[in-house]
């Protein structure tokens, strides 16, 4: 499975000490150079399972950057270029544009639900709480309830 990630999913998992969860679920994850640059602004190093790839279509990136930041734009373009099976992205506008571009995606909450279903974590509720309290991740009560139910808790 080819997985591409935007910055926010990785940063949030690093902040709660659970970045290994991403590797357990997906093995190697591709990130564009812009995401690498964003990560290195706030983190000393990036996890070794993240593979940095250059995007080829800079004109496509430029068009998307009218609406998105560089990391989101490059992640969407990279996902298209490598025909990714999954794009990890949380920002609402980025998700809307990825959907418009026909890219299959999930966000951090979807990743947590998958981790619970696969037995990689014991409690989705606990990880969501950590995301909110330690990483400042914001999620509505309705989405939390739906995720916890989907995780079988």
């Amino acid at each position: 499975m080819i997985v591409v990630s935007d910055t926010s999913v990785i940063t949030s998992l690093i902040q709660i000490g659970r970045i290994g969860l991403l590797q357990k679920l997906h093995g190697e994850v591709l990130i564009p150079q812009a995401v690498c640059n964003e990560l290195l602004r706030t983190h000393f190093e990036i996890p070794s399972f993240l593979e940095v790839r250059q995007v080829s279509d800079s004109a496509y990136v430029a068009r998307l950057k009218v609406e998105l930041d560089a990391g989101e734009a490059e992640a969407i373009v990279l996902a298209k270029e490598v025909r990714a099976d999954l794009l990890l992205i949380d920002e609402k506008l980025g998700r809307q544009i990825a959907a418009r571009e026909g890219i299959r995606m999930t966000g951090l909450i979807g990743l947590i639900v998958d981790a619970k279903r696969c037995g990689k974590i014991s409690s989705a509720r606990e990880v969501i709480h950590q995301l909110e309290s330690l990483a400042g991740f914001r999620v509505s009560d309705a989405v939390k309830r739906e995720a916890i139910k989907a995780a079988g808790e």
Side-chain angles (χ1 to χ4, degrees), residues 53-66:
R53 292 270 182 100
Q54 297 293 329
V55 295
S56 300
D57 193 342
S58 57
Y60 188 9
V61 172
R63 285 192 306 274
L64 292 181
K65 282 174 65 176
V66 170

Side-chain angles (χ1 to χ4, degrees), residues 65-94:
K65 282 174 65 176
V66 170
E67 301 174 89
L68 303 172
D69 72 26
E72 294 164 346
E74 284 193 15
I76 289 170
V77 173
L78 182 60
K80 290 286 278 189
E81 289 180 349
V82 301
R83 294 188 172 119
D85 299 295
L86 188 64
L87 171 64
L88 304 175
I89 189 167
D90 276 318
E91 294 78 6
K92 184 178 181 179
L93 183 57

Side-chain angles (χ1 to χ4, degrees), residues 32-123:
Q33 186 63 54
V35 168
C36 178
N37 295 344
E38 289 174 3
L39 288 169
L40 289 174
R41 282 188 207 121
T42 54
H43 306 288
F44 180 67
E45 62 184 2
I46 61 169
S48 60
F49 69 90
L50 298 176
E51 181 184 331
V52 180
R53 292 270 182 100
Q54 297 293 329
V55 295
S56 300
D57 193 342
S58 57
Y60 188 9
V61 172
R63 285 192 306 274
L64 292 181
K65 282 174 65 176
V66 170
E67 301 174 89
L68 303 172
D69 72 26
E72 294 164 346
E74 284 193 15
I76 289 170
V77 173
L78 182 60
K80 290 286 278 189
E81 289 180 349
V82 301
R83 294 188 172 119
D85 299 295
L86 188 64
L87 171 64
L88 304 175
I89 189 167
D90 276 318
E91 294 78 6
K92 184 178 181 179
L93 183 57
R95 291 173 67 91
Q96 290 171 345
I97 292 171
R100 178 183 78 199
E101 298 296 318
I103 299 169
R104 184 173 168 254
M105 76 197 113
T106 193
L108 187 51
I109 297 300
L111 189 80
I112 299 307
V113 170
D114 289 345
K116 174 63 163 83
R117 288 177 177 167
C118 293
K120 306 293 184 194
I121 59 173
S122 59
S123 170

